[in-house]
Amino acid sequence: MLEKKDRIVTGDRPTGRLHIGHYFGSLQNRVKLQNEYETFILVADVQALTDNFNNPEKVQKNVKEIVMDNLAVGVDPNKATIYLQSMIPEVAELTVFYSNLVTVSRLQRNPTVKTEIAQKKELFGESVTYGFLGYPVSQAADITALNGTIVPVGEDQLPLIEQCREIVRKFNSIYGQTLLEPKAILSNAKRIKGLDGNEKMGKSLGNAIYLSDTDEEITKKVMSAVTDPGRIKKDDPGNPNICMVSYYHKLFTKSNEELEEIMKECRAGTRGCVACKKQLIKNIINELEPIREKRRYYEERPELVKEILMEGTKHARKIAKENMLRIKEAMKLNY
Ligand code: SF4
């Protein structure tokens, strides 16, 4: 029986650079948690292939982007381990073992998987691949390969952790008490809406501000953000509650006084939308500049980025290998 010491396993899919939705939704929390728990950050390239199998270049290209984004926001490689999924073969092996412990209909009923399959109709058509349907199984393998006990997730991801817990319980009931049952901790950050007002900010939706965006890119994006459509003239009273610029001001404008003034002037019709957007651009740039500066440091040092990832992977692999011996022993596969 393992000694229970909390260990976080979390990660990102390398399908694009990280944006401010990730920043408020998970990265800020991750940076905080690395001081409290042993933290492992997975760059999930194999999982990214489940819905990008036809575009491996995209996945490969984004591995280093994800590592740099994590480092730029303050993930400290001396505190947290950043590692690459495809270099931990034990995860693939475990996925095969666990696939006996979950039924196809249970996976089809998983609400997270169901939603995602519906969103990917264009890729999968009427019939989803075995790999995509089974990604919660490989996620269970990611977590348990490292004896992860804590997984920070958004509410929409909770069914994936429940699925992992079920697999662990089933494994332990058949092969003896071997695996630790992880628990989810809900990140209290909310999901950030896109610049176009869409509930989700996403790479594929073209409505995101990336942590690595330049001043010009941020300016262009904010200038095209959706405002109160009822305001035709500059002195028309506005409704900041239906304006994406005001929504972003609440995230980026740190001074309460400044924020109150924005809302008041908007409602009174004494504030122009262009000036309001320019003020937001300034505040976003102020918040992102230290992140971008740190990112530039790593962009100029690709060898260092690679070294951090390889060292982290070596560390994670060692744990997975040791763990695998116990798992195989429990399964009578210890030849
Ligand atoms: Fe939005 Fe600002 Fe225009 Fe009001 S003044 S509608 S908050 S952009």
Side-chain angles (χ1 to χ4, degrees), residues 14-47:
T15 54
R17 292 172 292 144
L18 299 180
H19 52 62
I20 58 170
H22 299 113
Y23 179 59
F24 290 108
S26 58
L27 298 175
Q28 280 186 332
N29 198 33
R30 186 176 294 175
V31 170
K32 195 171 121 253
L33 291 172
Q34 71 179 346
N35 298 315
E36 295 164 37
Y37 300 101
E38 193 184 2
T39 300
F40 285 80
I41 300 166
L42 163 75
V43 183
D45 56 345
V46 178
Q47 194 190 315

PDB file of all heavy atoms in Angstrom, residues 14-47:
ATOM      1  N   PRO A  14      -1.463  20.172 -26.329  1.00  0.00           N
ATOM      2  CA  PRO A  14      -0.725  21.085 -27.211  1.00  0.00           C
ATOM      3  C   PRO A  14      -1.392  21.234 -28.580  1.00  0.00           C
ATOM      4  O   PRO A  14      -0.915  20.717 -29.587  1.00  0.00           O
ATOM      5  CB  PRO A  14       0.654  20.414 -27.317  1.00  0.00           C
ATOM      6  CG  PRO A  14       0.369  18.964 -27.097  1.00  0.00           C
ATOM      7  CD  PRO A  14      -0.817  18.867 -26.205  1.00  0.00           C
ATOM      8  N   THR A  15      -2.489  21.952 -28.590  1.00  0.00           N
ATOM      9  CA  THR A  15      -3.175  22.183 -29.866  1.00  0.00           C
ATOM     10  C   THR A  15      -3.137  23.658 -30.241  1.00  0.00           C
ATOM     11  O   THR A  15      -3.703  24.062 -31.241  1.00  0.00           O
ATOM     12  CB  THR A  15      -4.634  21.700 -29.794  1.00  0.00           C
ATOM     13  OG1 THR A  15      -5.256  22.321 -28.670  1.00  0.00           O
ATOM     14  CG2 THR A  15      -4.720  20.199 -29.635  1.00  0.00           C
ATOM     15  N   GLY A  16      -2.512  24.476 -29.409  1.00  0.00           N
ATOM     16  CA  GLY A  16      -2.398  25.901 -29.700  1.00  0.00           C
ATOM     17  C   GLY A  16      -1.797  26.595 -28.493  1.00  0.00           C
ATOM     18  O   GLY A  16      -1.685  25.981 -27.419  1.00  0.00           O
ATOM     19  N   ARG A  17      -1.416  27.856 -28.685  1.00  0.00           N
ATOM     20  CA  ARG A  17      -0.871  28.609 -27.549  1.00  0.00           C
ATOM     21  C   ARG A  17      -1.957  28.835 -26.509  1.00  0.00           C
ATOM     22  O   ARG A  17      -3.147  28.787 -26.828  1.00  0.00           O
ATOM     23  CB  ARG A  17      -0.342  29.965 -28.046  1.00  0.00           C
ATOM     24  CG  ARG A  17       0.887  29.839 -28.942  1.00  0.00           C
ATOM     25  CD  ARG A  17       1.242  31.185 -29.558  1.00  0.00           C
ATOM     26  NE  ARG A  17       0.242  31.615 -30.522  1.00  0.00           N
ATOM     27  CZ  ARG A  17      -0.144  32.874 -30.716  1.00  0.00           C
ATOM     28  NH1 ARG A  17       0.388  33.849 -30.004  1.00  0.00           N
ATOM     29  NH2 ARG A  17      -1.063  33.189 -31.607  1.00  0.00           N
ATOM     30  N   LEU A  18      -1.582  29.113 -25.280  1.00  0.00           N
ATOM     31  CA  LEU A  18      -2.579  29.317 -24.220  1.00  0.00           C
ATOM     32  C   LEU A  18      -3.058  30.772 -24.218  1.00  0.00           C
ATOM     33  O   LEU A  18      -2.314  31.688 -24.543  1.00  0.00           O
ATOM     34  CB  LEU A  18      -1.999  28.926 -22.862  1.00  0.00           C
ATOM     35  CG  LEU A  18      -1.566  27.451 -22.760  1.00  0.00           C
ATOM     36  CD1 LEU A  18      -1.002  27.136 -21.373  1.00  0.00           C
ATOM     37  CD2 LEU A  18      -2.711  26.500 -23.072  1.00  0.00           C
ATOM     38  N   HIS A  19      -4.314  30.941 -23.869  1.00  0.00           N
ATOM     39  CA  HIS A  19      -4.914  32.282 -23.911  1.00  0.00           C
ATOM     40  C   HIS A  19      -5.383  32.716 -22.526  1.00  0.00           C
ATOM     41  O   HIS A  19      -5.218  31.982 -21.534  1.00  0.00           O
ATOM     42  CB  HIS A  19      -6.030  32.329 -24.956  1.00  0.00           C
ATOM     43  CG  HIS A  19      -7.061  31.245 -24.817  1.00  0.00           C
ATOM     44  ND1 HIS A  19      -7.854  31.101 -23.704  1.00  0.00           N
ATOM     45  CD2 HIS A  19      -7.416  30.235 -25.663  1.00  0.00           C
ATOM     46  CE1 HIS A  19      -8.662  30.081 -23.871  1.00  0.00           C
ATOM     47  NE2 HIS A  19      -8.420  29.526 -25.042  1.00  0.00           N
ATOM     48  N   ILE A  20      -5.996  33.891 -22.470  1.00  0.00           N
ATOM     49  CA  ILE A  20      -6.363  34.423 -21.150  1.00  0.00           C
ATOM     50  C   ILE A  20      -7.481  33.620 -20.484  1.00  0.00           C
ATOM     51  O   ILE A  20      -7.645  33.691 -19.279  1.00  0.00           O
ATOM     52  CB  ILE A  20      -6.726  35.930 -21.219  1.00  0.00           C
ATOM     53  CG1 ILE A  20      -7.872  36.162 -22.179  1.00  0.00           C
ATOM     54  CG2 ILE A  20      -5.519  36.768 -21.603  1.00  0.00           C
ATOM     55  CD1 ILE A  20      -8.426  37.576 -22.086  1.00  0.00           C
ATOM     56  N   GLY A  21      -8.218  32.834 -21.276  1.00  0.00           N
ATOM     57  CA  GLY A  21      -9.199  31.924 -20.684  1.00  0.00           C
ATOM     58  C   GLY A  21      -8.480  30.886 -19.825  1.00  0.00           C
ATOM     59  O   GLY A  21      -8.891  30.574 -18.708  1.00  0.00           O
ATOM     60  N   HIS A  22      -7.368  30.355 -20.356  1.00  0.00           N
ATOM     61  CA  HIS A  22      -6.557  29.404 -19.572  1.00  0.00           C
ATOM     62  C   HIS A  22      -5.940  30.113 -18.362  1.00  0.00           C
ATOM     63  O   HIS A  22      -5.837  29.543 -17.283  1.00  0.00           O
ATOM     64  CB  HIS A  22      -5.412  28.830 -20.422  1.00  0.00           C
ATOM     65  CG  HIS A  22      -5.868  28.071 -21.624  1.00  0.00           C
ATOM     66  ND1 HIS A  22      -5.646  28.511 -22.901  1.00  0.00           N
ATOM     67  CD2 HIS A  22      -6.538  26.900 -21.740  1.00  0.00           C
ATOM     68  CE1 HIS A  22      -6.140  27.647 -23.760  1.00  0.00           C
ATOM     69  NE2 HIS A  22      -6.695  26.652 -23.084  1.00  0.00           N
ATOM     70  N   TYR A  23      -5.513  31.352 -18.604  1.00  0.00           N
ATOM     71  CA  TYR A  23      -4.822  32.113 -17.538  1.00  0.00           C
ATOM     72  C   TYR A  23      -5.724  32.264 -16.310  1.00  0.00           C
ATOM     73  O   TYR A  23      -5.341  31.920 -15.194  1.00  0.00           O
ATOM     74  CB  TYR A  23      -4.419  33.480 -18.105  1.00  0.00           C
ATOM     75  CG  TYR A  23      -3.721  34.404 -17.142  1.00  0.00           C
ATOM     76  CD1 TYR A  23      -2.531  34.033 -16.533  1.00  0.00           C
ATOM     77  CD2 TYR A  23      -4.239  35.667 -16.866  1.00  0.00           C
ATOM     78  CE1 TYR A  23      -1.877  34.895 -15.668  1.00  0.00           C
ATOM     79  CE2 TYR A  23      -3.592  36.536 -15.997  1.00  0.00           C
ATOM     80  CZ  TYR A  23      -2.414  36.137 -15.400  1.00  0.00           C
ATOM     81  OH  TYR A  23      -1.777  36.995 -14.529  1.00  0.00           O
ATOM     82  N   PHE A  24      -6.952  32.749 -16.533  1.00  0.00           N
ATOM     83  CA  PHE A  24      -7.856  32.931 -15.402  1.00  0.00           C
ATOM     84  C   PHE A  24      -8.482  31.597 -14.962  1.00  0.00           C
ATOM     85  O   PHE A  24      -8.834  31.423 -13.805  1.00  0.00           O
ATOM     86  CB  PHE A  24      -8.968  33.926 -15.755  1.00  0.00           C
ATOM     87  CG  PHE A  24      -8.474  35.342 -15.892  1.00  0.00           C
ATOM     88  CD1 PHE A  24      -8.384  35.962 -17.128  1.00  0.00           C
ATOM     89  CD2 PHE A  24      -8.061  36.061 -14.766  1.00  0.00           C
ATOM     90  CE1 PHE A  24      -7.912  37.261 -17.252  1.00  0.00           C
ATOM     91  CE2 PHE A  24      -7.586  37.363 -14.886  1.00  0.00           C
ATOM     92  CZ  PHE A  24      -7.515  37.959 -16.126  1.00  0.00           C
ATOM     93  N   GLY A  25      -8.644  30.682 -15.912  1.00  0.00           N
ATOM     94  CA  GLY A  25      -9.342  29.427 -15.616  1.00  0.00           C
ATOM     95  C   GLY A  25      -8.487  28.393 -14.907  1.00  0.00           C
ATOM     96  O   GLY A  25      -8.982  27.641 -14.078  1.00  0.00           O
ATOM     97  N   SER A  26      -7.187  28.309 -15.251  1.00  0.00           N
ATOM     98  CA  SER A  26      -6.395  27.249 -14.618  1.00  0.00           C
ATOM     99  C   SER A  26      -4.960  27.649 -14.273  1.00  0.00           C
ATOM    100  O   SER A  26      -4.420  27.212 -13.259  1.00  0.00           O
ATOM    101  CB  SER A  26      -6.360  26.002 -15.522  1.00  0.00           C
ATOM    102  OG  SER A  26      -5.811  26.334 -16.779  1.00  0.00           O
ATOM    103  N   LEU A  27      -4.335  28.496 -15.098  1.00  0.00           N
ATOM    104  CA  LEU A  27      -2.903  28.736 -14.893  1.00  0.00           C
ATOM    105  C   LEU A  27      -2.583  29.487 -13.604  1.00  0.00           C
ATOM    106  O   LEU A  27      -1.646  29.127 -12.887  1.00  0.00           O
ATOM    107  CB  LEU A  27      -2.313  29.489 -16.098  1.00  0.00           C
ATOM    108  CG  LEU A  27      -2.384  28.757 -17.434  1.00  0.00           C
ATOM    109  CD1 LEU A  27      -1.891  29.636 -18.565  1.00  0.00           C
ATOM    110  CD2 LEU A  27      -1.565  27.468 -17.397  1.00  0.00           C
ATOM    111  N   GLN A  28      -3.379  30.504 -13.287  1.00  0.00           N
ATOM    112  CA  GLN A  28      -3.123  31.260 -12.048  1.00  0.00           C
ATOM    113  C   GLN A  28      -3.207  30.324 -10.845  1.00  0.00           C
ATOM    114  O   GLN A  28      -2.383  30.371  -9.931  1.00  0.00           O
ATOM    115  CB  GLN A  28      -4.151  32.381 -11.898  1.00  0.00           C
ATOM    116  CG  GLN A  28      -3.841  33.598 -12.733  1.00  0.00           C
ATOM    117  CD  GLN A  28      -4.798  34.753 -12.447  1.00  0.00           C
ATOM    118  OE1 GLN A  28      -5.942  34.541 -12.048  1.00  0.00           O
ATOM    119  NE2 GLN A  28      -4.355  35.970 -12.656  1.00  0.00           N
ATOM    120  N   ASN A  29      -4.215  29.460 -10.880  1.00  0.00           N
ATOM    121  CA  ASN A  29      -4.416  28.495  -9.806  1.00  0.00           C
ATOM    122  C   ASN A  29      -3.242  27.499  -9.729  1.00  0.00           C
ATOM    123  O   ASN A  29      -2.751  27.159  -8.659  1.00  0.00           O
ATOM    124  CB  ASN A  29      -5.724  27.744 -10.089  1.00  0.00           C
ATOM    125  CG  ASN A  29      -6.261  27.040  -8.876  1.00  0.00           C
ATOM    126  OD1 ASN A  29      -6.089  27.512  -7.759  1.00  0.00           O
ATOM    127  ND2 ASN A  29      -6.905  25.910  -9.083  1.00  0.00           N
ATOM    128  N   ARG A  30      -2.787  27.091 -10.886  1.00  0.00           N
ATOM    129  CA  ARG A  30      -1.674  26.137 -10.967  1.00  0.00           C
ATOM    130  C   ARG A  30      -0.417  26.713 -10.322  1.00  0.00           C
ATOM    131  O   ARG A  30       0.290  26.036  -9.583  1.00  0.00           O
ATOM    132  CB  ARG A  30      -1.427  25.846 -12.457  1.00  0.00           C
ATOM    133  CG  ARG A  30      -0.424  24.788 -12.736  1.00  0.00           C
ATOM    134  CD  ARG A  30      -0.324  24.525 -14.223  1.00  0.00           C
ATOM    135  NE  ARG A  30      -1.526  23.945 -14.799  1.00  0.00           N
ATOM    136  CZ  ARG A  30      -1.711  23.719 -16.100  1.00  0.00           C
ATOM    137  NH1 ARG A  30      -0.758  24.005 -16.959  1.00  0.00           N
ATOM    138  NH2 ARG A  30      -2.829  23.184 -16.537  1.00  0.00           N
ATOM    139  N   VAL A  31      -0.160  27.980 -10.613  1.00  0.00           N
ATOM    140  CA  VAL A  31       1.034  28.640 -10.065  1.00  0.00           C
ATOM    141  C   VAL A  31       0.933  28.700  -8.531  1.00  0.00           C
ATOM    142  O   VAL A  31       1.919  28.500  -7.822  1.00  0.00           O
ATOM    143  CB  VAL A  31       1.193  30.052 -10.681  1.00  0.00           C
ATOM    144  CG1 VAL A  31       2.273  30.848  -9.974  1.00  0.00           C
ATOM    145  CG2 VAL A  31       1.510  29.940 -12.166  1.00  0.00           C
ATOM    146  N   LYS A  32      -0.273  28.929  -8.052  1.00  0.00           N
ATOM    147  CA  LYS A  32      -0.474  28.989  -6.600  1.00  0.00           C
ATOM    148  C   LYS A  32      -0.295  27.581  -5.984  1.00  0.00           C
ATOM    149  O   LYS A  32       0.400  27.418  -4.981  1.00  0.00           O
ATOM    150  CB  LYS A  32      -1.903  29.505  -6.344  1.00  0.00           C
ATOM    151  CG  LYS A  32      -2.152  29.962  -4.944  1.00  0.00           C
ATOM    152  CD  LYS A  32      -3.509  30.649  -4.866  1.00  0.00           C
ATOM    153  CE  LYS A  32      -4.372  29.957  -3.903  1.00  0.00           C
ATOM    154  NZ  LYS A  32      -5.447  29.157  -4.212  1.00  0.00           N
ATOM    155  N   LEU A  33      -0.884  26.591  -6.626  1.00  0.00           N
ATOM    156  CA  LEU A  33      -0.865  25.232  -6.072  1.00  0.00           C
ATOM    157  C   LEU A  33       0.533  24.604  -6.049  1.00  0.00           C
ATOM    158  O   LEU A  33       0.807  23.741  -5.223  1.00  0.00           O
ATOM    159  CB  LEU A  33      -1.825  24.330  -6.853  1.00  0.00           C
ATOM    160  CG  LEU A  33      -3.320  24.640  -6.677  1.00  0.00           C
ATOM    161  CD1 LEU A  33      -4.160  23.808  -7.650  1.00  0.00           C
ATOM    162  CD2 LEU A  33      -3.785  24.369  -5.247  1.00  0.00           C
ATOM    163  N   GLN A  34       1.406  25.046  -6.957  1.00  0.00           N
ATOM    164  CA  GLN A  34       2.756  24.448  -6.990  1.00  0.00           C
ATOM    165  C   GLN A  34       3.512  24.690  -5.679  1.00  0.00           C
ATOM    166  O   GLN A  34       4.466  23.986  -5.372  1.00  0.00           O
ATOM    167  CB  GLN A  34       3.558  24.963  -8.184  1.00  0.00           C
ATOM    168  CG  GLN A  34       3.972  26.410  -8.054  1.00  0.00           C
ATOM    169  CD  GLN A  34       4.793  26.925  -9.233  1.00  0.00           C
ATOM    170  OE1 GLN A  34       5.278  26.163 -10.054  1.00  0.00           O
ATOM    171  NE2 GLN A  34       4.955  28.232  -9.315  1.00  0.00           N
ATOM    172  N   ASN A  35       3.057  25.715  -4.928  1.00  0.00           N
ATOM    173  CA  ASN A  35       3.701  25.981  -3.636  1.00  0.00           C
ATOM    174  C   ASN A  35       3.142  25.085  -2.532  1.00  0.00           C
ATOM    175  O   ASN A  35       3.725  24.978  -1.469  1.00  0.00           O
ATOM    176  CB  ASN A  35       3.495  27.448  -3.238  1.00  0.00           C
ATOM    177  CG  ASN A  35       4.144  28.372  -4.242  1.00  0.00           C
ATOM    178  OD1 ASN A  35       5.274  28.146  -4.653  1.00  0.00           O
ATOM    179  ND2 ASN A  35       3.427  29.398  -4.659  1.00  0.00           N
ATOM    180  N   GLU A  36       1.983  24.494  -2.774  1.00  0.00           N
ATOM    181  CA  GLU A  36       1.331  23.697  -1.723  1.00  0.00           C
ATOM    182  C   GLU A  36       1.459  22.194  -1.950  1.00  0.00           C
ATOM    183  O   GLU A  36       1.416  21.416  -1.015  1.00  0.00           O
ATOM    184  CB  GLU A  36      -0.159  24.065  -1.657  1.00  0.00           C
ATOM    185  CG  GLU A  36      -0.396  25.512  -1.227  1.00  0.00           C
ATOM    186  CD  GLU A  36      -1.816  25.959  -1.547  1.00  0.00           C
ATOM    187  OE1 GLU A  36      -2.744  25.154  -1.431  1.00  0.00           O
ATOM    188  OE2 GLU A  36      -1.980  27.142  -1.926  1.00  0.00           O
ATOM    189  N   TYR A  37       1.555  21.781  -3.210  1.00  0.00           N
ATOM    190  CA  TYR A  37       1.567  20.351  -3.521  1.00  0.00           C
ATOM    191  C   TYR A  37       2.704  20.015  -4.473  1.00  0.00           C
ATOM    192  O   TYR A  37       3.180  20.877  -5.203  1.00  0.00           O
ATOM    193  CB  TYR A  37       0.254  19.948  -4.224  1.00  0.00           C
ATOM    194  CG  TYR A  37      -0.986  20.189  -3.421  1.00  0.00           C
ATOM    195  CD1 TYR A  37      -1.776  21.303  -3.665  1.00  0.00           C
ATOM    196  CD2 TYR A  37      -1.365  19.304  -2.417  1.00  0.00           C
ATOM    197  CE1 TYR A  37      -2.932  21.535  -2.932  1.00  0.00           C
ATOM    198  CE2 TYR A  37      -2.513  19.528  -1.683  1.00  0.00           C
ATOM    199  CZ  TYR A  37      -3.289  20.640  -1.938  1.00  0.00           C
ATOM    200  OH  TYR A  37      -4.421  20.861  -1.214  1.00  0.00           O
ATOM    201  N   GLU A  38       3.036  18.740  -4.480  1.00  0.00           N
ATOM    202  CA  GLU A  38       3.961  18.258  -5.500  1.00  0.00           C
ATOM    203  C   GLU A  38       3.175  18.279  -6.818  1.00  0.00           C
ATOM    204  O   GLU A  38       2.117  17.648  -6.916  1.00  0.00           O
ATOM    205  CB  GLU A  38       4.367  16.832  -5.130  1.00  0.00           C
ATOM    206  CG  GLU A  38       5.521  16.307  -5.898  1.00  0.00           C
ATOM    207  CD  GLU A  38       5.817  14.855  -5.547  1.00  0.00           C
ATOM    208  OE1 GLU A  38       5.087  14.256  -4.729  1.00  0.00           O
ATOM    209  OE2 GLU A  38       6.754  14.319  -6.109  1.00  0.00           O
ATOM    210  N   THR A  39       3.661  19.010  -7.786  1.00  0.00           N
ATOM    211  CA  THR A  39       2.847  19.264  -8.979  1.00  0.00           C
ATOM    212  C   THR A  39       3.485  18.694 -10.250  1.00  0.00           C
ATOM    213  O   THR A  39       4.671  18.922 -10.505  1.00  0.00           O
ATOM    214  CB  THR A  39       2.640  20.788  -9.140  1.00  0.00           C
ATOM    215  OG1 THR A  39       1.968  21.271  -7.985  1.00  0.00           O
ATOM    216  CG2 THR A  39       1.832  21.129 -10.374  1.00  0.00           C
ATOM    217  N   PHE A  40       2.674  17.981 -11.016  1.00  0.00           N
ATOM    218  CA  PHE A  40       3.108  17.449 -12.306  1.00  0.00           C
ATOM    219  C   PHE A  40       2.231  18.032 -13.405  1.00  0.00           C
ATOM    220  O   PHE A  40       1.005  17.944 -13.332  1.00  0.00           O
ATOM    221  CB  PHE A  40       3.019  15.915 -12.314  1.00  0.00           C
ATOM    222  CG  PHE A  40       4.125  15.273 -11.534  1.00  0.00           C
ATOM    223  CD1 PHE A  40       4.055  15.195 -10.148  1.00  0.00           C
ATOM    224  CD2 PHE A  40       5.249  14.779 -12.164  1.00  0.00           C
ATOM    225  CE1 PHE A  40       5.091  14.631  -9.409  1.00  0.00           C
ATOM    226  CE2 PHE A  40       6.289  14.210 -11.441  1.00  0.00           C
ATOM    227  CZ  PHE A  40       6.212  14.137 -10.061  1.00  0.00           C
ATOM    228  N   ILE A  41       2.868  18.630 -14.396  1.00  0.00           N
ATOM    229  CA  ILE A  41       2.119  19.256 -15.489  1.00  0.00           C
ATOM    230  C   ILE A  41       2.413  18.501 -16.786  1.00  0.00           C
ATOM    231  O   ILE A  41       3.539  18.489 -17.289  1.00  0.00           O
ATOM    232  CB  ILE A  41       2.491  20.743 -15.618  1.00  0.00           C
ATOM    233  CG1 ILE A  41       2.145  21.459 -14.305  1.00  0.00           C
ATOM    234  CG2 ILE A  41       1.768  21.381 -16.802  1.00  0.00           C
ATOM    235  CD1 ILE A  41       2.746  22.832 -14.173  1.00  0.00           C
ATOM    236  N   LEU A  42       1.367  17.906 -17.272  1.00  0.00           N
ATOM    237  CA  LEU A  42       1.475  17.031 -18.431  1.00  0.00           C
ATOM    238  C   LEU A  42       1.241  17.821 -19.718  1.00  0.00           C
ATOM    239  O   LEU A  42       0.265  18.567 -19.817  1.00  0.00           O
ATOM    240  CB  LEU A  42       0.395  15.966 -18.251  1.00  0.00           C
ATOM    241  CG  LEU A  42      -0.070  15.112 -19.395  1.00  0.00           C
ATOM    242  CD1 LEU A  42       0.985  14.069 -19.681  1.00  0.00           C
ATOM    243  CD2 LEU A  42      -1.368  14.430 -19.015  1.00  0.00           C
ATOM    244  N   VAL A  43       2.133  17.657 -20.683  1.00  0.00           N
ATOM    245  CA  VAL A  43       1.851  18.182 -22.017  1.00  0.00           C
ATOM    246  C   VAL A  43       1.283  16.990 -22.787  1.00  0.00           C
ATOM    247  O   VAL A  43       2.011  16.065 -23.171  1.00  0.00           O
ATOM    248  CB  VAL A  43       3.125  18.750 -22.682  1.00  0.00           C
ATOM    249  CG1 VAL A  43       2.779  19.351 -24.035  1.00  0.00           C
ATOM    250  CG2 VAL A  43       3.775  19.799 -21.788  1.00  0.00           C
ATOM    251  N   ALA A  44      -0.026  17.017 -22.976  1.00  0.00           N
ATOM    252  CA  ALA A  44      -0.748  15.812 -23.415  1.00  0.00           C
ATOM    253  C   ALA A  44      -0.780  15.706 -24.936  1.00  0.00           C
ATOM    254  O   ALA A  44      -1.805  15.892 -25.589  1.00  0.00           O
ATOM    255  CB  ALA A  44      -2.158  15.830 -22.832  1.00  0.00           C
ATOM    256  N   ASP A  45       0.389  15.364 -25.507  1.00  0.00           N
ATOM    257  CA  ASP A  45       0.455  15.300 -26.974  1.00  0.00           C
ATOM    258  C   ASP A  45      -0.283  14.093 -27.542  1.00  0.00           C
ATOM    259  O   ASP A  45      -0.891  14.180 -28.609  1.00  0.00           O
ATOM    260  CB  ASP A  45       1.915  15.366 -27.463  1.00  0.00           C
ATOM    261  CG  ASP A  45       2.819  14.306 -26.867  1.00  0.00           C
ATOM    262  OD1 ASP A  45       2.433  13.674 -25.862  1.00  0.00           O
ATOM    263  OD2 ASP A  45       3.925  14.098 -27.405  1.00  0.00           O
ATOM    264  N   VAL A  46      -0.257  12.966 -26.805  1.00  0.00           N
ATOM    265  CA  VAL A  46      -0.976  11.786 -27.315  1.00  0.00           C
ATOM    266  C   VAL A  46      -2.483  12.053 -27.282  1.00  0.00           C
ATOM    267  O   VAL A  46      -3.206  11.746 -28.231  1.00  0.00           O
ATOM    268  CB  VAL A  46      -0.622  10.521 -26.493  1.00  0.00           C
ATOM    269  CG1 VAL A  46      -1.406   9.320 -26.988  1.00  0.00           C
ATOM    270  CG2 VAL A  46       0.871  10.244 -26.573  1.00  0.00           C
ATOM    271  N   GLN A  47      -2.931  12.654 -26.190  1.00  0.00           N
ATOM    272  CA  GLN A  47      -4.362  12.972 -26.116  1.00  0.00           C
ATOM    273  C   GLN A  47      -4.760  13.991 -27.185  1.00  0.00           C
ATOM    274  O   GLN A  47      -5.844  13.912 -27.766  1.00  0.00           O
ATOM    275  CB  GLN A  47      -4.721  13.504 -24.734  1.00  0.00           C
ATOM    276  CG  GLN A  47      -6.235  13.507 -24.536  1.00  0.00           C
ATOM    277  CD  GLN A  47      -6.655  14.247 -23.296  1.00  0.00           C
ATOM    278  OE1 GLN A  47      -6.060  14.070 -22.252  1.00  0.00           O
ATOM    279  NE2 GLN A  47      -7.672  15.063 -23.411  1.00  0.00           N
TER     280      GLN A  47
END
